[in-house]
Amino acid sequence: MSFVANRIGNIHESVIRGLTVYANSKGAINLGQGSPDFGPPEELVEAAVEALRSGFNQYVPTWGLPELREAISKKTERFYGFLPNPDTEVTVTCGVTEAVISALLAVVGTGDNVLVLEPAHENYYAGIIFAGANAVWLPLKPPNFELNASELRKAFVEQDLKAVIFNTPHNPSGRVFSREELQLIADLCQEFDVIAISDEIYEHMVFDGLKHIPIATLDGMADRTITITGLSKTYSVTGWRIGYAIAQPELTTALRKVHDFTTICAPSPLQKAAVTAINFKQSYYDWLEHHYLARRERIIPMLNSLGFKAPSPSGAYYTMADFSQIADALGLSYNDSDFSYWMIKHLGIGTIPAGSFYKSDPNLGLAHVRFAFPKKDETLDRVEERFEKLKKMLNI
Ligand code: PLP
């Protein structure tokens, strides 16, 4: 008999972490994991050091340092025009990861159905399993990853949903959901009394003149949305573990109970330092957009010139590249996992197999791998050098 709870058996080691270990063991340049290889703005490091020195070393109120919740509230108003109450509607968590788990545990229970728009971050499924709930999958398919209105409606009509969870700007496809797509979800949530859990961690990485729209800002959605975002990506501090959830008081109270009894609070000195980040002026966000745009403009043409079909993402910092042409030329199979391992072994470049984002049917990721590009210029130079070997193999 196994000592391990049945539900844990349904959760497998994160494919991303597993491949990262392999990539590191081979000295590969890791374009798999979505973590910057550059530091945060120096001002933030200074703010963190200062916070440690000035005594922010003990617990702070479980739902977040009051000063940080105030700052989050004002930033939300500045960017999206609504001012959540910092005392009753904002909760600081240990990253978006914890906020997602706390949100799911707060609103779904045993046997409830949760619609997941795929491809999806692996942690949504884990949260659904922790809650004893059932995942209902709605795959958005390459190359366009668009939401199909009738398939979406069918899921709401047939599945007796309690919640829907999705992410925009979208990892891994780089899509930014349009107002029309969000409206479809919002209308169905209201018609079928469903809660939206919206992961907006890439909110400030939107290109091509598009705009990120939080679904909570659509008519009728403020009361039935848990908006989740955090500092990891926007300020290049994935290791700080600071995220937050915004929701109306009833939902916030429920989420805080889970948060309180799992973590007590997010790291105090880093919450103090996060105030500096949250108060950054518009010029920081303009810089961020240009910074990532420049990276996109390097990596996408580089990949396409090699025979990948790598769509140019409108948001976030990933591309889901189709490698079928390269596989054909080299006599490799369309297996995305094998190809990721092949790239690490033969080219020294790490990627993530697309199938790991599709739990309903991993074959939906066939012949696709995800490249992440939050990387220094020097790293991209080295990637370009390593791709010379692929060029030779392909005679180009
Ligand atoms: N949600 C999405 C869509 C992500 O891509 C990631 C990280 O890659 C996370 C959540 C994790 O966020 P955090 O570092 O705040 O836990």
Side-chain angles (χ1 to χ4, degrees):
M1 195 194 75
S2 167
F3 290 130
V4 178
N6 284 342
R7 67 177 182 287
I8 300 301
N10 291 325
I11 299 174
H12 302 286
E13 195 207 357
S14 158
V15 173
I16 299 185
R17 274 189 285 278
L19 264 153
T20 299
V21 170
Y22 182 65
N24 291 342
S25 76
K26 294 282 172 204
I29 303 171
N30 194 356
L31 298 186
Q33 207 177 26
S35 191
D37 70 349
F38 42 84
E42 196 47 36
E43 214 181 324
L44 286 192
V45 177
E46 288 305 323
V49 171
E50 177 55 27
L52 282 161
R53 291 225 165 93
S54 62
F56 280 86
N57 296 299
Q58 311 308 331
Y59 300 133
V60 290
T62 173
W63 36 85
L65 189 70
E67 194 187 345
L68 177 57
R69 281 184 282 116
E70 287 271 350
I72 289 169
S73 196
K74 288 198 187 116
K75 174 176 179 270
T76 309
E77 188 185 36
R78 180 154 62 103
F79 280 94
Y80 306 120
F82 71 102
L83 184 74
N85 182 323
D87 293 329
T88 58
E89 298 184 315
V90 177
T91 309
V92 178
T93 58
C94 296
V96 165
T97 302
E98 191 243 319
V100 164
I101 302 287
S102 295
L104 285 165
L105 287 171
V107 300
V108 301
T110 313
D112 284 340
N113 290 338
V114 182
L115 183 66
V116 186
L117 304 191
E118 288 188 303
H121 195 248
E122 293 175 297
N123 134 272
Y124 304 167
Y125 180 57
I128 292 167
I129 297 285
F130 293 161
N134 306 312
V136 175
W137 308 105
L138 182 66
L140 313 182
K141 294 172 196 148
N144 298 326
F145 299 94
E146 276 161 7
L147 199 52
N148 177 304
S150 55
E151 284 175 13
L152 182 69
R153 183 165 186 84
K154 191 163 176 268
F156 275 77
V157 169
E158 291 179 357
Q159 298 290 346
D160 190 17
L161 301 174
K162 182 81 193 288
V164 53
I165 183 163
F166 62 97
N167 159 235
T168 181
H170 187 234
N171 167 16
S173 74
R175 281 215 63 226
V176 178
F177 282 15
S178 66
R179 181 174 288 279
E180 291 68 33
E181 283 171 306
L182 293 169
Q183 192 65 57
L184 286 174
I185 301 172
D187 288 346
L188 289 163
C189 281
Q190 290 172 74
E191 186 180 341
F192 292 91
D193 200 17
V194 170
I195 294 163
I197 301 175
S198 179
D199 173 351
E200 304 180 9
I201 190 166
Y202 299 100
E203 63 186 319
H204 293 295
M205 288 162 204
V206 180
F207 319 115
D208 307 330
L210 298 184
K211 257 179 85 90
H212 166 63
I213 305 170
I215 193 168
T217 61
L218 301 193
D219 271 359
M221 288 307 288
D223 278 351
R224 58 174 66 251
T225 302
I226 303 178
T227 305
I228 296 174
T229 182
L231 272 71
S232 286
K233 314 287 172 161
T234 303
Y235 310 102
S236 309
V237 288
T238 54
W240 281 24
R241 315 308 307 129
I242 307 279
Y244 53 93
I246 297 175
Q248 48 94 328
E250 186 198 9
L251 292 175
T252 291
T253 305
L255 184 150
R256 284 177 175 181
K257 286 183 190 167
V258 183
H259 164 72
D260 186 7
F261 293 113
T262 45
T263 66
I264 301 185
C265 64
S268 316
L270 301 176
Q271 289 199 51
K272 174 67 180 161
V275 177
T276 302
I278 295 288
N279 286 337
F280 275 162
K281 297 206 167 58
Q282 183 56 39
S283 54
Y284 175 76
Y285 301 96
D286 294 342
W287 170 84
L288 188 78
E289 186 187 327
H290 287 113
H291 178 75
Y292 279 109
L293 201 56
R295 260 125 266 279
R296 183 188 81 169
E297 296 311 292
R298 265 199 87 179
I299 189 122
I300 301 299
M302 193 195 298
L303 294 175
N304 286 324
S305 73
L306 292 163
F308 287 100
K309 281 189 220 94
S312 184
S314 300
Y317 48 52
Y318 307 98
T319 183
M320 273 278 241
D322 178 331
F323 61 80
S324 51
Q325 197 178 310
I326 295 174
D328 288 346
L330 300 178
L332 302 172
S333 81
Y334 285 180
N335 184 302
D336 50 324
S337 179
D338 289 353
F339 190 77
S340 286
Y341 279 97
W342 182 89
M343 276 193 63
I344 292 172
K345 192 165 166 210
H346 294 278
L347 305 177
I349 297 172
T351 59
I352 299 293
S356 66
F357 298 95
Y358 286 106
K359 288 270 181 295
S360 58
D361 176 7
N363 285 329
L364 288 168
L366 214 63
H368 286 76
V369 288
R370 187 194 77 174
F371 288 85
F373 56 85
K375 306 296 166 194
K376 293 189 242 187
D377 283 328
E378 302 88 274
T379 309
L380 296 181
D381 291 344
R382 285 170 54 226
V383 168
E384 207 162 359
E385 279 162 31
R386 291 191 180 192
F387 270 140
E388 285 301 317
K389 189 169 168 197
L390 181 60
K391 278 190 180 163
K392 286 207 184 90
M393 290 175 180
L394 295 167
N395 293 319
I396 52 176

